[in-house]
Structure formats: structure tokens, C-alpha cells
Amino acid sequence: MPKYSGTISELLGIDYPVIQGGMAWVSNASLAAAVSKAGGLGVIAAGNAPSDWVREQIKLVREQTDKPFGVNVMLISPNAQEVAQIVADEKVPVVITGAGNPAQYVKTWKAAGCIVAPVVASKALAVRLERKGVDFLIAEGNEAGGHIGELTTMVLMPTIARSVDIPVVAAGGIFDAATVAAAFCLGAAGVQVGTRFILASECTAHDEYKRRLIKAKDIDSKVTGRVTGHPVRLLRSPIFIEMSKVEYEENAVKKLEAIGEGSLQCAVTTGDKDKGSFMAGQCAGLLDKEQTSKEIIEELFDEQALTDIARNLKTKLF
Ligand code: TUI
């Protein structure tokens, strides 16, 4: 294996500069441990789960591997504060945040020895969090699945990289060696990959979720819920159609919340075609099989593929 000596691999103590996306209900101890064992950074997603579940998943990862791992704290969760304390108490190696501004927690996490990496979707938050002392940032573009910002990875990534001096990891639309190379071309120090890891054999998401990802066509990844201020990207399905119908009606926020409640957990655990919210990034249409986490990571960083890309760039441009 070539040595990937980027700042992020060294900072995190991992072999490949790849972070597994913290996907609510999907990213549990099974997936996180497999990714960390394969040389990436496995991540448990706290999502909206009860605090005891988060504590248990941390314990389960530690039973399976001594390698570094992370916990993703979803800041709009009602129990975010409790989860924030758990990750500090447990001295989780890496804390990643999503869906908000984690400024109030940074001191506690740094005092506990955690590496802190917020997901950002804008320059303003990136600059503020660099000043707060976070270790690196994850710039997540609109191609990503789940809750998304407005800018694409192509524009967000260089915007953030030019705005801060700390490393920036690219997320959104990254699923193979070419998109990994593209992220590095945009100034990334590493990549975060979500959707593709749903198709990891160690991912315990329902088979229907995996089948839907494999079946998805290029334009099947849709966005709804803009009026709530928390737009989400998910696969076209009955719940997407239902949400889109009420999106611009009166009391849309309440109606959307009612429809969306529990729908992601439902997709992941029961695979319910009607009620499930199958969140996925735009790359869903390009995914075609289940593989082990190790195979996925080795493909992302395939030395021959990356060498060919670099050679191609040179011959096509000069
Ligand atoms: O958080 C995510 N992806 C998620 S969270 C989630 S669960 C959910 N379910 C229903 C509705 C909403 C969420 C599913 N997928 N990705 C990280 C991410 N963070 N994307 C965008 C942001 C973000 C947006 C605004 C981060 C910070 C931010 O700042 C706002 C502020 O307060 O300054």
C-alpha cells in the first residue's frame, strides 16, 4: 500500500485520507469499526438517537478495534447537548458536527483531547470556527445526501480552502478515484464519503435501502423541505412525492415535520417503501454493487487509477 502522507492521515492516525460519512441510523458501530479497520476513519452518527445508544456504539467500536474513530454530533437533534457531553466524557478521538454551529462545545471537546471537525456549508461559519480553534473543516457540497447546504462541492470546496489556514476535507459527490482526485485538485486535504458506504457489506442498513441505491438512476436523487430551512436530499419515493406536495402549502413546516418524523429510521431498519426516507447523495445513480469497506477504500485510492488520472491531466492539458 502506498503511504498517503497527507496532513489529515497524519493528524488522524489513519492510512487513507478518507472519513466515512456520519449518516443517521446507517453509521453504527458495525460500519464504523469496519471502515477504521480498513484504514479510513469510521464514524458513528448520533443523529437523533438516544444518548445510551451512542454510548453503546462507542463501546462496541472499541471492542472491535484500537484504531481511531469518530462520532458525528447532529446539532439540530433535541439531545445534542447530552451527546456532546458523552463524546467528551468518552474522549472520542474525533468529533464531527453537522447541521449547525458547534462553537459552544469546542472548548469542552478540545479539553477532553478530541480532534474537532465541523461540517460547514458556508464561508462565514468556516471562518468563525477556525477562530474557535477547531482542527479541520469538512466542506460538504449540495451533491451530498441528507441535510444539505446550497453550494456545490465544486464551488464550496475552493471557497472554504481559500478562507482558512486549517485543512479542509471535501464531501458531497465523492465516490471513486476520479472524484477523490478532483477533491484534491480543489485543495482538499482528504475526503468524506457517505452514500457509497451504505453499500458496504458491513453496513447494516436494510437490503431494500441498498437495492434502491443500486437501482437509482442519475436524476433519482431529489431535494425537498427547503421551507423548513433544513432541505434534505433523498431518493425519489412515495415520501418524497408527499413532502414535495405539501412543501409550499400553509403550515408546510409542521406538515413536513409530521411526514418526516421517523422516516429515515424506518428506511434504514425496515426498508418500508412507502414511509421510508431513503437519503442518498447525487452519486447514487453511479453505484452498482455492494462491497466490503476495505474494497471500497482500496478502489477510492487505487494507485493505478490515480496515476492514470494524473498522467491524463498532464497529457490533455499540456
Ligand atoms: O447534517 C448533515 N446531514 C444530515 S443530518 C440528517 S438528519 C435530518 N433529518 C431531517 C431533517 C434534517 C436533518 C440527515 N443528513 N450534513 C452536514 C451538514 N451540515 N450539511 C449542511 C450543514 C450545515 C448547515 C448549516 C452546517 C452548518 C450550518 O450552519 C448554520 C448556522 O447555524 O450557522
Side-chain angles (χ1 to χ4, degrees), residues 211-226:
R211 267 197 298 277
R212 286 188 162 240
L213 271 176
I214 291 170
K215 229 177 56 192
K217 301 273 183 292
D218 55 354
I219 54 172
D220 286 342
S221 159
K222 306 287 193 193
V223 180
T224 184
R226 287 185 181 88

Side-chain angles (χ1 to χ4, degrees), residues 84-164:
Q85 193 55 50
I86 290 171
V87 297
D89 294 345
E90 292 286 336
K91 298 191 185 309
V92 164
V94 186
V95 184
I96 294 169
T97 65
N101 181 352
Q104 60 174 311
Y105 304 118
V106 175
K107 251 194 201 148
T108 308
W109 290 333
K110 289 310 297 172
C114 308
I115 292 173
V116 179
V119 170
V120 294
S122 71
K123 176 174 164 173
L125 187 58
V127 170
R128 273 160 71 188
L129 290 171
E130 179 184 37
R131 280 198 221 113
K132 279 274 168 195
V134 305
D135 296 278
F136 68 97
L137 294 166
I138 302 174
E140 189 182 283
N142 177 272
E143 299 93 319
H147 170 43
I148 46 166
E150 287 186 33
L151 296 175
T152 59
T153 304
M154 184 79 107
V155 170
L156 181 68
M157 181 53 231
T159 301
I160 306 298
R162 286 167 194 211
S163 310
V164 297

Side-chain angles (χ1 to χ4, degrees), residues 9-308:
S9 307
E10 281 163 10
L11 177 70
L12 299 175
I14 55 178
D15 300 326
Y16 300 90
V18 59
I19 298 171
Q20 165 240 315
M23 299 167 282
W25 301 110
V26 171
S27 302
N28 58 13
S30 171
L31 180 59
V35 171
S36 285
K37 280 199 251 181
L41 187 81
V43 172
I44 298 161
N48 275 317
S51 309
D52 285 346
W53 181 89
V54 179
R55 214 181 264 114
E56 176 70 12
Q57 299 304 303
I58 295 171
K59 186 166 158 253
L60 286 171
V61 169
R62 286 190 159 136
E63 281 168 8
Q64 292 174 70
T65 182
D66 291 331
K67 299 225 174 170
F69 67 97
V71 170
N72 182 300
V73 181
M74 216 265 283
L75 295 166
I76 53 172
S77 165
N79 66 348
Q81 193 146 9
E82 212 179 315
V83 173
Q85 193 55 50
I86 290 171
V87 297
D89 294 345
E90 292 286 336
K91 298 191 185 309
V92 164
V94 186
V95 184
I96 294 169
T97 65
N101 181 352
Q104 60 174 311
Y105 304 118
V106 175
K107 251 194 201 148
T108 308
W109 290 333
K110 289 310 297 172
C114 308
I115 292 173
V116 179
V119 170
V120 294
S122 71
K123 176 174 164 173
L125 187 58
V127 170
R128 273 160 71 188
L129 290 171
E130 179 184 37
R131 280 198 221 113
K132 279 274 168 195
V134 305
D135 296 278
F136 68 97
L137 294 166
I138 302 174
E140 189 182 283
N142 177 272
E143 299 93 319
H147 170 43
I148 46 166
E150 287 186 33
L151 296 175
T152 59
T153 304
M154 184 79 107
V155 170
L156 181 68
M157 181 53 231
T159 301
I160 306 298
R162 286 167 194 211
S163 310
V164 297
D165 291 321
I166 50 177
V168 183
V169 164
I174 296 160
F175 70 98
D176 68 353
T179 46
V180 166
F184 279 84
C185 286
L186 297 175
V191 292
Q192 179 177 276
V193 173
T195 304
R196 184 154 180 198
F197 278 117
I198 305 176
L199 287 177
S201 42
E202 301 90 349
C203 171
T204 56
H206 197 277
D207 274 346
E208 178 61 20
Y209 207 138
K210 299 192 181 196
R211 267 197 298 277
R212 286 188 162 240
L213 271 176
I214 291 170
K215 229 177 56 192
K217 301 273 183 292
D218 55 354
I219 54 172
D220 286 342
S221 159
K222 306 287 193 193
V223 180
T224 184
R226 287 185 181 88
V227 288
T228 64
H230 300 115
V232 289
R233 182 180 290 290
L234 71 167
L235 294 179
R236 192 161 58 83
S237 62
I239 201 171
F240 163 74
I241 293 163
E242 208 182 325
M243 288 173 97
S244 306
K245 267 190 203 147
V246 303
E247 192 168 11
Y248 296 101
E249 284 178 5
E250 231 173 283
N251 292 324
V253 175
K254 276 220 170 84
K255 287 178 185 167
L256 284 167
E257 275 169 6
I259 298 167
E261 170 117 48
S263 62
L264 177 58
Q265 184 180 14
C266 176
V268 178
T269 57
T270 72
D272 190 312
K273 291 179 191 154
D274 298 315
K275 296 201 206 97
S277 167
F278 299 88
M279 293 188 184
Q282 286 187 331
C283 70
L286 290 146
L287 303 177
D288 57 7
K289 57 179 176 297
E290 193 175 61
Q291 287 168 300
T292 64
S293 298
K294 186 167 183 286
E295 286 166 341
I296 293 173
I297 293 176
E298 283 174 354
E299 245 182 61
L300 292 171
F301 293 93
D302 183 88
E303 202 181 356
Q304 190 58 56
L306 292 170
T307 306
D308 290 347

